[in-house]
Amino acid sequence: MTKKTLSGMNMAELQQVVYDLDLPKFAAKQIAEWLYGKRISTIAEMTNISKSAREKLESQYEIGRWAPAKKAVSADGTIKYLFPTAKGHFVETVFIPSDDRGTLCVSSQVGCKMGCSFCMTGRQGFQAQLSAAEILNQIYSLPEFERLTNVVFMGQGEPLDNVDNVLRVCEILTASYGLAWSPKRITVSTIGDLKGLKRFLDESQCNLAVSLHFPTPQQRVEYMPAEKAWPIVNVIDLLKEYEFCNSDLQWHEGAKQRRLSFEYIVFSGLNDSHRHRDAIISLLKGLDCRVNLIPFHTIPDTPFKAAPEVRMKEIRDYLTRNGVFSTLRASRGQDIMAACGLLTTAEVGSRKPKNRIS
């Protein structure tokens, strides 16, 4: 019999597990504490639950944790992990440490359907959706978990194409029975999946990052095929129906507003002209947001070239002077293929993970 996975269950589902196994009602909170508070890897570790109850659990359920299969460390301290999944796939996850923050870039899919021509994950194509347990595993099985302060859904895949599981993970991370994090510690990235975006905005208070990269529909569709299905102008129209807060003076831990940012990879001679800068300003007019300018990291067999840093600074200053606050994102982990756009598991193969933790 294939066992069900406990990790990824919300409180209502844990209560149903307890009911089905004829366990005391309070056992649901105990299980949640072991799963999400104490980060256990086996049911046997639930020591305040009776032995007979643990045996009932073990007969039908497993925790659903997998240790990373591989690790690579960058010269700048960035760490990339290769995590196995339940069905034999693999995903890459990147931990980015800094003085006062530890940010984890998690994957939501094996590969990606979006097909952006400048992204290694897009070249991989799509293999599978990650379950909530497989997304959470990247967080809870992270060796540096105790240093973790922020999670960003900017790894492999389009998060809002897997919106059910992404929202479930966001719920567990922010719920009192989970990590009890502020939603402001979580950022979800999207290319603009309108159906998933509407649900995310209605059902979550986590921060949002939109992958823009090209400010005109004509050019965007050439390099980002998803523009055909979800035009960026329609994405902007939807965003204008919601409240965001980008000001550090107004933004504080108790505020309800989330941050909105736009990711913009700067390509030399392709999207870095004055015409493009003015198009960004026109497109984002009326939104309380920021633009993160990202250096392009070269991938094989493409004509794209990175814009020089001096050009990126010019764009940053021009946008900020004209009412669109902009920043330069530092490149991290490029030497281990962990930087933006470089994640891929296309060559890893597919084999059943041997280091499963039940």
Side-chain angles (χ1 to χ4, degrees), residues 285-325:
K285 184 178 180 181
L287 282 175
D288 190 354
C289 64
R290 72 173 62 198
V291 173
N292 293 321
L293 301 173
I294 304 170
F296 172 64
H297 304 104
T298 303
I299 62 177
D301 303 320
T302 63
F304 306 112
K305 295 182 179 179
E309 186 176 359
V310 64
R311 177 67 56 82
M312 295 183 66
K313 289 181 178 178
E314 289 173 0
I315 297 171
R316 176 198 63 190
D317 295 344
Y318 184 85
L319 294 178
T320 300
R321 283 198 308 269
N322 287 275
V324 179
F325 180 72

Side-chain angles (χ1 to χ4, degrees), residues 9 11 32-40 65 102 104 106 135-142 144-151 153 168-183 185-186 253:
M9 289 188 177
M11 182 55 71
E33 173 60 18
W34 285 110
L35 275 177
Y36 304 127
K38 298 180 180 178
R39 297 171 48 235
I40 57 160
R65 297 268 161 80
L104 188 67
V106 301
I135 298 173
L136 285 169
N137 183 63
Q138 298 168 67
I139 300 168
Y140 280 92
S141 294
L142 180 74
E144 293 79 14
F145 177 86
E146 299 300 335
R147 299 168 60 189
L148 196 58
T149 62
N150 298 81
V151 167
F153 286 80
R168 177 177 288 264
V169 170
C170 291
E171 175 192 339
I172 290 170
L173 293 180
T174 56
S176 58
Y177 63 83
L179 283 185
W181 274 15
S182 163
R185 297 171 66 175
I186 303 165
E253 194 70 14

Side-chain angles (χ1 to χ4, degrees), residues 33-322:
E33 173 60 18
W34 285 110
L35 275 177
Y36 304 127
K38 298 180 180 178
R39 297 171 48 235
I40 57 160
S41 56
T42 65
I43 291 173
E45 295 173 76
M46 299 180 181
T47 53
N48 64 346
I49 297 177
S50 69
K51 183 179 179 181
S52 60
R54 295 199 302 269
E55 289 174 349
K56 287 183 180 180
L57 277 171
E58 287 180 329
S59 69
Q60 298 185 37
Y61 296 92
E62 60 187 3
I63 298 298
R65 297 268 161 80
W66 300 266
K70 190 175 180 181
K71 173 182 179 180
V73 182
S74 168
D76 63 27
T78 299
I79 305 172
K80 182 171 72 171
Y81 289 102
L82 184 71
F83 279 102
T85 72
K87 294 184 179 180
H89 296 289
F90 292 85
V91 292
E92 293 187 321
T93 307
V94 180
F95 178 67
I96 308 167
S98 62
D99 292 340
D100 59 346
R101 291 166 66 94
T103 300
L104 188 67
C105 180
V106 301
S107 295
S108 54
Q109 296 177 319
V110 183
C112 185
K113 301 177 184 178
M114 301 300 111
C116 295
S117 56
F118 46 85
C119 176
M120 289 291 286
T121 311
R123 286 186 172 193
Q124 179 177 341
F126 176 76
Q127 276 79 55
Q129 301 281 19
L130 293 186
S131 67
E134 290 164 339
I135 298 173
L136 285 169
N137 183 63
Q138 298 168 67
I139 300 168
Y140 280 92
S141 294
L142 180 74
E144 293 79 14
F145 177 86
E146 299 300 335
R147 299 168 60 189
L148 196 58
T149 62
N150 298 81
V151 167
V152 295
F153 286 80
M154 296 182 181
Q156 292 174 258
E158 161 57 47
L160 298 188
D161 186 49
N162 189 12
V163 67
D164 287 337
N165 289 317
V166 167
L167 284 173
R168 177 177 288 264
V169 170
C170 291
E171 175 192 339
I172 290 170
L173 293 180
T174 56
S176 58
Y177 63 83
L179 283 185
W181 274 15
S182 163
K184 296 176 178 62
R185 297 171 66 175
I186 303 165
T187 299
V188 174
S189 175
T190 182
I191 201 170
D193 181 322
L194 283 168
K195 184 178 180 180
L197 179 58
K198 181 73 166 61
R199 282 196 57 196
F200 173 78
L201 293 169
D202 289 339
E203 299 176 31
S204 167
Q205 279 296 319
C206 296
N207 296 328
L208 177 68
V210 178
S211 297
L212 177 58
H213 309 313
F214 299 93
T216 62
Q218 298 83 359
Q219 195 176 33
R220 195 170 189 261
V221 75
E222 183 176 354
Y223 302 104
M224 303 171 69
E227 171 70 17
K228 295 177 184 178
W230 307 304
I232 189 62
V233 292
N234 293 356
V235 174
I236 298 299
D237 286 343
L238 176 61
L239 294 175
K240 287 181 178 179
E241 298 177 11
Y242 293 83
E243 185 178 7
F244 300 94
C245 183
N246 188 55
S247 170
D248 288 328
L249 294 177
Q250 299 176 34
W251 190 90
H252 56 84
E253 194 70 14
K256 291 184 178 180
Q257 296 95 338
R258 73 191 95 205
R259 289 191 188 274
L260 171 64
S261 61
F262 288 86
E263 311 297 291
Y264 196 91
I265 297 175
V266 187
F267 303 99
S268 180
L270 191 60
N271 66 350
D272 60 345
S273 70
H274 279 285
R275 175 175 62 87
H276 290 99
R277 301 173 203 182
D278 289 335
I280 293 172
I281 293 167
S282 176
L283 181 68
L284 303 185
K285 184 178 180 181
L287 282 175
D288 190 354
C289 64
R290 72 173 62 198
V291 173
N292 293 321
L293 301 173
I294 304 170
F296 172 64
H297 304 104
T298 303
I299 62 177
D301 303 320
T302 63
F304 306 112
K305 295 182 179 179
E309 186 176 359
V310 64
R311 177 67 56 82
M312 295 183 66
K313 289 181 178 178
E314 289 173 0
I315 297 171
R316 176 198 63 190
D317 295 344
Y318 184 85
L319 294 178
T320 300
R321 283 198 308 269
N322 287 275

